Amino acid sequence: MKNWPDNRIQKLFNIDVPLIQAPMAGVDSVELAAEVSNAGGLGSLACTLFSVTQLKDEFKKLRSLTARPVNLNFFCHENPENTETLQEKWKKHLSKYYIELGIDPNASYAATTRAPFNEEYCSVVEELRPEVVSFHFGLPAADLVKRLRQAGCKIISSATTVAEARWLEARGCDAIIAQGFEAGGHRGSFLTDDMAAQVGTMALVPQTVDAVKIPVIAAGGITDARGIAASFFLGACGAQLGTAYLFCPEAKVSKLYLQGLQQTTDDQTVLTNVYSGKPARGIRNRFIEQEGPISEMAPPFPFASPAVNPLRKKSEELGLTDFVQMWSGQSAALGQSLPAYELTKKLAQDTLELLGNK
Ligand SMILES: Cc1cc2nc3c(=O)[nH]c(=O)nc-3n(C[C@H](O)[C@H](O)[C@H](O)COP(=O)(O)O)c2cc1C
């Protein structure tokens, strides 16, 4: 067994290498998660867009592909009420794009399927018993956390500030994902809305390590071995990588999205709320440029999405990135196009070499 400087994450999750494939709603897959777990890391499956039936079916597939530990991920946002008028206004505002792309602006569209983690999901997860359950946007109610713990699941969640890390530790998390500003996808923030004050990975990780006793996993802009090795020097004992895994053939990334990732540079991603209503980091395109990156018009999360989804779909069909949602961290340019199993093995080996344990 190779020698990692700190093996608390391996012990906690019963895995071989301290690498976590980030859950990525809509673009991860059971194949991606299984290959990462089979390579000794922790594969994750984002479940926020699944119905309970889908959750059961997907987990069954995942279990047929790997017997190793896996992570199921959920959002625990609060669904705001009475957003109908805001949603209507948003749709009306976007109708110019509907007309331009040839979509009927009066056609009805699917409502959001992003349900926060609740009693119903909890009962299913108790049955499925994944080794790890991770959350974004805080934690669910204490009784649900307790039930997951009793089912034997380890519980982790993202913190974007030291205060959030302390909050999560006080509520029983087994480890913290310190999500730096560089990260692709949604900011996991739940105690603050102040995006201008969000902390970079290099600053967040060591301060979080100093503030909590539980293990810290670094996330945000970590795409190759240098970032993973740096995370260990900063005191983390694991790294969670999202964007790096989008280059794997197992990720459900469209051709346009993949091209975007392959062409993007350090300064081409921004935090935007125009797709979902919450700030998330993605590659600039026409929609973000014209409506954002932050729009006052966008209804609160997750209610901006339903009116945008038809534009995303049509834009894909037309081969235009104009409305395609391309979540990405700031280090996509460091991505390597390898199958997930090989990528995980290579990242681990390259990191150990950098850390001096050949
Ligand atoms: C395409 C994409 C989708 C994401 N979706 C989720 C999600 O569903 N749940 C979650 O906890 N984090 C999600 N994230 C955030 C990741 O957990 C992680 O914080 C981020 O990928 C780390 O930054 P990196 O992309 O630079 O590696 C997503 C990130 C990306 C890039």
Side-chain angles (χ1 to χ4, degrees), residues 19-334:
L19 298 181
I20 300 166
Q21 163 249 318
M24 293 181 281
V27 287
D28 61 14
S29 67
V30 288
E31 291 79 13
L32 180 67
E35 288 301 293
V36 174
S37 288
N38 287 335
L42 183 70
S44 309
L45 191 62
C47 304
T48 176
L49 298 171
F50 294 159
S51 64
V52 251
T53 313
Q54 282 170 316
L55 172 58
K56 285 184 192 168
D57 292 348
E58 291 288 309
F59 190 78
K60 202 169 157 198
K61 278 189 233 158
L62 179 56
R63 265 290 166 254
S64 73
L65 298 173
T66 185
R68 307 295 307 258
V70 291
N71 167 34
L72 294 187
N73 170 262
F74 297 88
F75 282 181
C76 35
H77 56 285
E78 278 176 21
N79 259 350
E81 287 174 10
N82 305 322
T83 59
E84 291 76 15
T85 315
L86 289 174
Q87 288 196 66
E88 221 17 74
K89 271 193 191 159
W90 180 231
K91 177 152 188 228
K92 220 170 162 189
H93 179 70
L94 299 181
S95 63
K96 57 190 177 210
Y97 300 123
Y98 276 59
I99 293 162
E100 183 192 320
L101 298 192
I103 310 168
D104 175 4
N106 297 316
S108 61
Y109 51 75
T112 180
T113 52
R114 281 180 194 271
F117 189 76
N118 55 21
E119 148 75 29
E120 208 185 354
Y121 282 121
C122 191
S123 303
V124 178
V125 177
E126 281 174 315
E127 243 175 69
L128 303 176
R129 291 177 182 259
E131 289 75 6
V132 184
V133 178
S134 74
F135 292 104
H136 218 43
F137 313 132
L139 283 173
D143 60 315
L144 300 184
V145 174
K146 193 171 160 198
R147 282 169 54 182
L148 295 177
R149 186 172 292 290
Q150 281 168 350
C153 308
K154 299 292 180 213
I155 294 159
I156 60 177
S157 183
S158 301
T160 66
T161 60
V162 167
E164 288 177 349
R166 287 203 175 104
W167 189 98
L168 293 172
E169 180 181 46
R171 282 155 187 82
C173 272
D174 293 292
I176 303 279
I177 305 153
Q179 191 202 30
F181 187 61
E182 299 91 320
H186 285 102
R187 305 295 307 138
S189 315
F190 56 94
L191 294 182
T192 177
D193 289 332
D194 187 354
M195 290 301 112
Q198 285 282 283
V199 192
T201 307
M202 186 88 163
L204 181 64
V205 171
Q207 294 185 78
T208 304
V209 168
D210 288 349
V212 299
K213 292 197 177 65
I214 52 179
V216 174
I217 298 157
I222 305 168
T223 301
D224 67 15
R226 290 169 294 181
I228 303 167
S231 306
F232 276 84
F233 280 111
L234 296 173
C237 48
Q240 174 161 302
L241 285 65
T243 303
Y245 281 104
L246 293 175
F247 292 84
C248 300
E250 295 90 347
K252 291 186 291 184
V253 170
S254 72
K255 212 170 136 194
L256 285 178
Y257 186 179
L258 186 60
Q259 277 170 11
L261 288 164
Q262 286 163 340
Q263 288 163 10
T264 197
T265 50
D266 57 336
D267 59 353
Q268 285 306 305
T269 68
V270 286
L271 280 190
T272 182
N273 69 344
V274 296
Y275 281 101
S276 70
K278 259 191 193 294
R281 183 172 297 283
I283 301 171
R284 283 173 197 271
N285 60 5
R286 180 180 156 214
F287 184 44
I288 294 174
E289 293 289 336
Q290 289 186 347
E291 296 300 329
I294 299 296
S295 165
E296 294 282 316
M297 292 279 306
F301 183 88
F303 296 110
S305 309
V308 181
N309 287 341
L311 295 170
R312 289 175 54 189
K313 190 164 171 264
K314 191 70 183 193
S315 191
E316 285 278 3
E317 284 167 18
L318 295 172
L320 298 168
T321 53
D322 288 11
F323 297 90
V324 176
Q325 177 183 287
M326 297 179 285
W327 292 158
S328 169
Q330 290 181 330
S331 302
L334 304 176

